[in-house]
Amino acid sequence: NNYNSLQVNLTKRMASGLAFAGSYTWSRAMDTGSDLVNPFDRNANYARSDYDRRHILAVSHVWNLPFGAGSPYANTGAAAQILGNWELNGLLRWATGTPYYVTADPLFCNCPGIAGIPANFTGTGSLNGASSFDPSNFSPAAAGQFGSLGRNSFSGPDMFTYNLSLFRNFAIRDNVKLEFRGEAYNLTNSTNLVNPVSNLFSPGFGQSFRTFNGMGGRTFQVAGRLLF
Protein backbone atom coordinates (compact mmCIF):
# COMPACT_ATOMS: atom_id res chain seq x y z
CA ASN A 1 0.00 0.00 0.00
CA ASN A 2 1.01 3.63 -0.21
CA TYR A 3 -0.23 7.01 0.96
CA ASN A 4 0.43 10.47 -0.49
CA SER A 5 -1.00 13.75 0.72
CA LEU A 6 -0.89 17.52 0.75
CA GLN A 7 -1.51 18.89 4.26
CA VAL A 8 -2.19 22.54 5.11
CA ASN A 9 -2.63 24.03 8.60
CA LEU A 10 -3.63 27.58 9.50
CA THR A 11 -3.95 29.20 12.94
CA LYS A 12 -5.20 32.75 13.49
CA ARG A 13 -5.50 34.55 16.84
CA MET A 14 -7.29 37.88 16.98
CA ALA A 15 -7.10 40.65 19.56
CA SER A 16 -10.83 40.38 20.24
CA GLY A 17 -10.41 37.02 21.96
CA LEU A 18 -11.30 34.98 18.89
CA ALA A 19 -8.99 32.25 17.58
CA PHE A 20 -9.32 29.88 14.62
CA ALA A 21 -7.44 26.72 13.69
CA GLY A 22 -7.97 24.93 10.39
CA SER A 23 -6.46 21.91 8.70
CA TYR A 24 -7.01 20.52 5.23
CA THR A 25 -5.75 17.25 3.76
CA TRP A 26 -5.85 16.23 0.11
CA SER A 27 -4.72 12.63 -0.02
CA ARG A 28 -4.83 9.28 -1.70
CA ALA A 29 -4.37 5.90 -0.02
CA MET A 30 -3.90 2.94 -2.37
CA ASP A 31 -3.60 -0.80 -1.76
CA THR A 32 -4.59 -4.23 -3.05
CA GLY A 33 -7.12 -4.80 -0.25
CA SER A 34 -7.41 -7.50 2.36
CA ASP A 35 -9.56 -9.69 0.07
CA LEU A 36 -8.64 -10.18 -3.57
CA VAL A 37 -11.46 -9.09 -5.86
CA ASN A 38 -9.75 -10.85 -8.75
CA PRO A 39 -7.70 -13.83 -7.47
CA PHE A 40 -6.17 -14.38 -10.92
CA ASP A 41 -4.63 -10.92 -11.33
CA ARG A 42 -3.18 -9.19 -8.28
CA ASN A 43 -2.70 -5.90 -10.14
CA ALA A 44 -6.43 -5.75 -10.90
CA ASN A 45 -7.08 -5.34 -7.15
CA TYR A 46 -4.89 -2.25 -6.79
CA ALA A 47 -7.18 0.70 -6.08
CA ARG A 48 -8.18 3.24 -3.42
CA SER A 49 -8.08 1.86 0.11
CA ASP A 50 -11.42 1.15 1.77
CA TYR A 51 -10.75 3.92 4.32
CA ASP A 52 -9.53 6.53 1.82
CA ARG A 53 -11.14 9.99 1.99
CA ARG A 54 -9.80 12.25 -0.75
CA HIS A 55 -10.56 15.58 1.00
CA ILE A 56 -10.71 16.22 4.77
CA LEU A 57 -11.32 19.63 6.35
CA ALA A 58 -11.43 20.50 10.06
CA VAL A 59 -12.00 24.01 11.45
CA SER A 60 -12.14 24.83 15.16
CA HIS A 61 -12.72 28.13 16.92
CA VAL A 62 -12.47 29.51 20.45
CA TRP A 63 -14.12 32.81 21.34
CA ASN A 64 -13.90 34.53 24.70
CA LEU A 65 -17.18 36.42 24.54
CA PRO A 66 -16.72 40.23 24.87
CA PHE A 67 -18.74 40.65 28.08
CA GLY A 68 -17.75 41.21 31.71
CA ALA A 69 -15.11 43.23 33.51
CA GLY A 70 -12.41 44.56 31.18
CA SER A 71 -14.47 43.81 28.06
CA PRO A 72 -16.12 46.22 25.62
CA TYR A 73 -19.69 45.28 26.57
CA ALA A 74 -21.65 44.72 29.78
CA ASN A 75 -18.52 45.37 31.83
CA THR A 76 -20.07 46.63 35.07
CA GLY A 77 -22.76 45.65 37.53
CA ALA A 78 -24.94 42.57 37.46
CA ALA A 79 -24.64 42.19 33.68
CA ALA A 80 -20.87 41.80 34.00
CA GLN A 81 -21.30 39.16 36.68
CA ILE A 82 -23.79 37.14 34.64
CA LEU A 83 -22.36 37.49 31.12
CA GLY A 84 -18.66 37.65 31.85
CA ASN A 85 -16.03 34.92 31.27
CA TRP A 86 -18.06 32.76 28.89
CA GLU A 87 -16.28 30.86 26.09
CA LEU A 88 -17.82 29.65 22.83
CA ASN A 89 -16.02 26.74 21.15
CA GLY A 90 -16.84 24.95 17.91
CA LEU A 91 -15.54 22.20 15.68
CA LEU A 92 -16.55 21.72 12.03
CA ARG A 93 -15.56 18.57 10.17
CA TRP A 94 -16.13 17.75 6.50
CA ALA A 95 -14.79 14.87 4.43
CA THR A 96 -15.57 13.25 1.11
CA GLY A 97 -16.92 9.72 1.13
CA THR A 98 -15.09 6.42 1.38
CA PRO A 99 -14.91 4.24 -1.76
CA TYR A 100 -16.97 1.19 -2.67
CA TYR A 101 -17.88 -0.84 -5.75
CA VAL A 102 -20.88 -2.90 -6.81
CA THR A 103 -20.55 -6.68 -6.67
CA ALA A 104 -22.50 -9.66 -7.96
CA ASP A 105 -22.63 -13.23 -6.68
CA PRO A 106 -19.89 -15.40 -8.24
CA LEU A 107 -22.39 -18.03 -9.40
CA PHE A 108 -20.64 -18.89 -12.65
CA CYS A 109 -17.13 -17.87 -11.70
CA ASN A 110 -14.76 -20.64 -10.68
CA CYS A 111 -13.38 -18.51 -7.86
CA PRO A 112 -13.08 -20.47 -4.59
CA GLY A 113 -13.34 -18.28 -1.51
CA ILE A 114 -14.57 -15.19 -3.35
CA ALA A 115 -17.79 -13.77 -1.88
CA GLY A 116 -18.53 -11.43 -4.78
CA ILE A 117 -17.14 -10.32 -8.11
CA PRO A 118 -17.38 -6.89 -9.80
CA ALA A 119 -20.64 -6.20 -11.61
CA ASN A 120 -21.13 -4.39 -14.92
CA PHE A 121 -21.92 -0.67 -14.92
CA THR A 122 -24.46 -0.04 -17.67
CA GLY A 123 -25.43 3.51 -16.69
CA THR A 124 -23.89 6.91 -17.39
CA GLY A 125 -22.48 9.67 -15.23
CA SER A 126 -20.97 9.47 -11.77
CA LEU A 127 -22.38 8.11 -8.51
CA ASN A 128 -19.80 9.88 -6.36
CA GLY A 129 -21.21 11.53 -3.25
CA ALA A 130 -24.65 9.90 -3.60
CA SER A 131 -26.25 7.97 -0.74
CA SER A 132 -28.43 5.99 -3.16
CA PHE A 133 -28.44 5.06 -6.83
CA ASP A 134 -30.62 3.49 -9.52
CA PRO A 135 -30.17 -0.33 -9.35
CA SER A 136 -30.96 -0.65 -13.06
CA ASN A 137 -27.55 0.92 -13.83
CA PHE A 138 -25.87 -2.40 -12.99
CA SER A 139 -26.01 -5.96 -14.26
CA PRO A 140 -24.28 -9.26 -13.38
CA ALA A 141 -21.12 -10.29 -15.16
CA ALA A 142 -21.32 -12.86 -17.93
CA ALA A 143 -20.62 -16.49 -17.03
CA GLY A 144 -16.93 -17.07 -16.39
CA GLN A 145 -16.08 -13.37 -16.50
CA PHE A 146 -15.60 -10.41 -14.18
CA GLY A 147 -17.70 -7.28 -14.61
CA SER A 148 -16.44 -3.99 -15.99
CA LEU A 149 -16.18 -2.29 -12.60
CA GLY A 150 -12.87 -2.03 -10.85
CA ARG A 151 -12.43 -2.24 -7.09
CA ASN A 152 -13.63 0.85 -5.20
CA SER A 153 -14.83 2.63 -8.33
CA PHE A 154 -17.22 5.03 -6.57
CA SER A 155 -17.15 7.33 -3.55
CA GLY A 156 -19.93 7.23 -0.99
CA PRO A 157 -21.71 10.22 0.61
CA ASP A 158 -19.76 13.03 2.23
CA MET A 159 -19.56 13.49 5.99
CA PHE A 160 -20.34 16.85 7.64
CA THR A 161 -20.79 17.74 11.29
CA TYR A 162 -20.55 20.88 13.43
CA ASN A 163 -20.37 20.73 17.23
CA LEU A 164 -20.68 23.78 19.48
CA SER A 165 -20.12 24.32 23.21
CA LEU A 166 -20.63 27.26 25.57
CA PHE A 167 -19.02 27.12 29.01
CA ARG A 168 -17.86 29.13 32.00
CA ASN A 169 -15.79 28.44 35.09
CA PHE A 170 -16.90 29.76 38.50
CA ALA A 171 -14.22 30.07 41.18
CA ILE A 172 -15.25 28.52 44.52
CA ARG A 173 -11.84 28.44 46.21
CA ASP A 174 -8.28 28.96 45.05
CA ASN A 175 -8.04 25.38 43.82
CA VAL A 176 -11.70 24.54 43.28
CA LYS A 177 -13.80 25.58 40.26
CA LEU A 178 -17.26 24.75 39.05
CA GLU A 179 -17.60 24.46 35.28
CA PHE A 180 -21.01 24.90 33.68
CA ARG A 181 -21.32 23.99 30.00
CA GLY A 182 -23.94 23.59 27.31
CA GLU A 183 -23.12 21.50 24.23
CA ALA A 184 -24.76 20.94 20.87
CA TYR A 185 -23.70 17.96 18.77
CA ASN A 186 -24.42 17.97 15.02
CA LEU A 187 -25.86 21.46 15.33
CA THR A 188 -26.78 21.58 11.63
CA ASN A 189 -28.73 18.31 12.02
CA SER A 190 -26.88 16.84 9.03
CA THR A 191 -27.59 13.25 7.98
CA ASN A 192 -24.34 11.32 7.52
CA LEU A 193 -25.15 8.05 5.76
CA VAL A 194 -22.84 5.13 5.13
CA ASN A 195 -22.23 3.78 1.62
CA PRO A 196 -25.23 2.21 -0.13
CA VAL A 197 -25.82 -1.54 -0.15
CA SER A 198 -23.59 -2.61 -3.01
CA ASN A 199 -24.32 -6.29 -3.67
CA LEU A 200 -26.53 -6.73 -6.70
CA PHE A 201 -28.63 -9.46 -5.06
CA SER A 202 -28.86 -8.09 -1.51
CA PRO A 203 -32.11 -6.64 -0.10
CA GLY A 204 -32.11 -2.86 -0.35
CA PHE A 205 -29.52 -2.79 -3.13
CA GLY A 206 -28.67 0.81 -4.02
CA GLN A 207 -29.94 2.30 -0.74
CA SER A 208 -28.23 3.44 2.47
CA PHE A 209 -29.97 2.59 5.74
CA ARG A 210 -27.50 3.54 8.50
CA THR A 211 -25.66 6.63 9.63
CA PHE A 212 -21.88 6.77 9.75
CA ASN A 213 -20.35 5.65 13.04
CA GLY A 214 -23.68 5.97 14.81
CA MET A 215 -23.96 9.71 14.12
CA GLY A 216 -27.48 10.77 14.94
CA GLY A 217 -29.45 13.98 14.63
CA ARG A 218 -28.99 17.20 16.56
CA THR A 219 -28.39 16.63 20.29
CA PHE A 220 -28.19 19.14 23.16
CA GLN A 221 -26.52 18.51 26.50
CA VAL A 222 -26.16 20.58 29.67
CA ALA A 223 -23.58 19.57 32.26
CA GLY A 224 -21.80 20.74 35.38
CA ARG A 225 -18.32 19.67 36.43
CA LEU A 226 -16.37 20.26 39.65
CA LEU A 227 -12.65 20.83 39.09
CA PHE A 228 -10.21 20.53 41.99
Side-chain angles (χ1 to χ4, degrees):
N1 58 24
N2 65 78
Y3 173 81
N4 297 281
S5 69
L6 168 70
Q7 300 179 21
V8 179
N9 293 278
L10 175 66
T11 301
K12 176 66 175 178
R13 295 179 177 88
M14 302 180 181
S16 59
L18 180 63
F20 288 96
S23 65
Y24 167 73
T25 302
W26 176 36
S27 64
R28 186 175 68 169
M30 304 285 290
D31 60 31
T32 55
S34 55
D35 298 315
L36 295 181
V37 174
N38 184 343
F40 306 110
D41 182 2
R42 182 179 180 85
N43 292 331
N45 301 279
Y46 186 70
R48 293 175 59 195
S49 303
D50 293 345
Y51 55 84
D52 178 56
R53 290 185 182 272
R54 188 58 50 86
H55 303 279
I56 300 176
L57 174 69
V59 179
S60 62
H61 62 78
V62 178
W63 187 21
N64 295 313
L65 297 182
F67 307 113
S71 299
Y73 310 105
N75 48 29
T76 58
Q81 296 294 322
I82 297 172
L83 300 178
N85 300 319
W86 286 94
E87 288 189 18
L88 184 68
N89 299 337
L91 175 61
L92 179 150
R93 292 183 297 163
W94 169 79
T96 51
T98 55
Y100 71 97
Y101 65 106
V102 174
T103 61
D105 291 340
L107 298 176
F108 304 107
C109 174
N110 188 18
C111 309
I114 301 299
I117 61 173
N120 285 318
F121 181 51
T122 56
T124 58
S126 173
L127 305 182
N128 292 337
S131 58
S132 62
F133 55 79
D134 185 355
S136 65
N137 287 330
F138 299 90
S139 64
Q145 298 181 10
F146 292 91
S148 59
L149 285 174
R151 172 175 169 257
N152 288 347
S153 306
F154 306 115
S155 292
D158 295 355
M159 181 197 73
F160 179 87
T161 183
Y162 178 55
N163 300 329
L164 192 68
S165 67
L166 177 68
F167 71 94
R168 179 183 175 182
N169 290 320
F170 297 86
I172 298 176
R173 294 181 180 176
D174 290 342
N175 59 346
V176 180
K177 294 188 295 184
L178 176 65
E179 181 185 83
F180 177 80
R181 61 190 304 127
E183 297 167 313
Y185 297 97
N186 192 10
L187 183 64
T188 57
N189 205 29
S190 302
T191 302
N192 294 288
L193 295 171
V194 298
N195 294 343
V197 177
S198 58
N199 186 279
L200 203 60
F201 300 106
S202 293
F205 171 60
Q207 303 293 318
S208 181
F209 298 100
R210 295 183 297 108
T211 55
F212 174 73
N213 234 13
M215 286 184 177
R218 184 188 299 115
T219 304
F220 295 99
Q221 175 178 294
V222 177
R225 185 168 61 167
L226 188 65
L227 306 175
F228 58 91

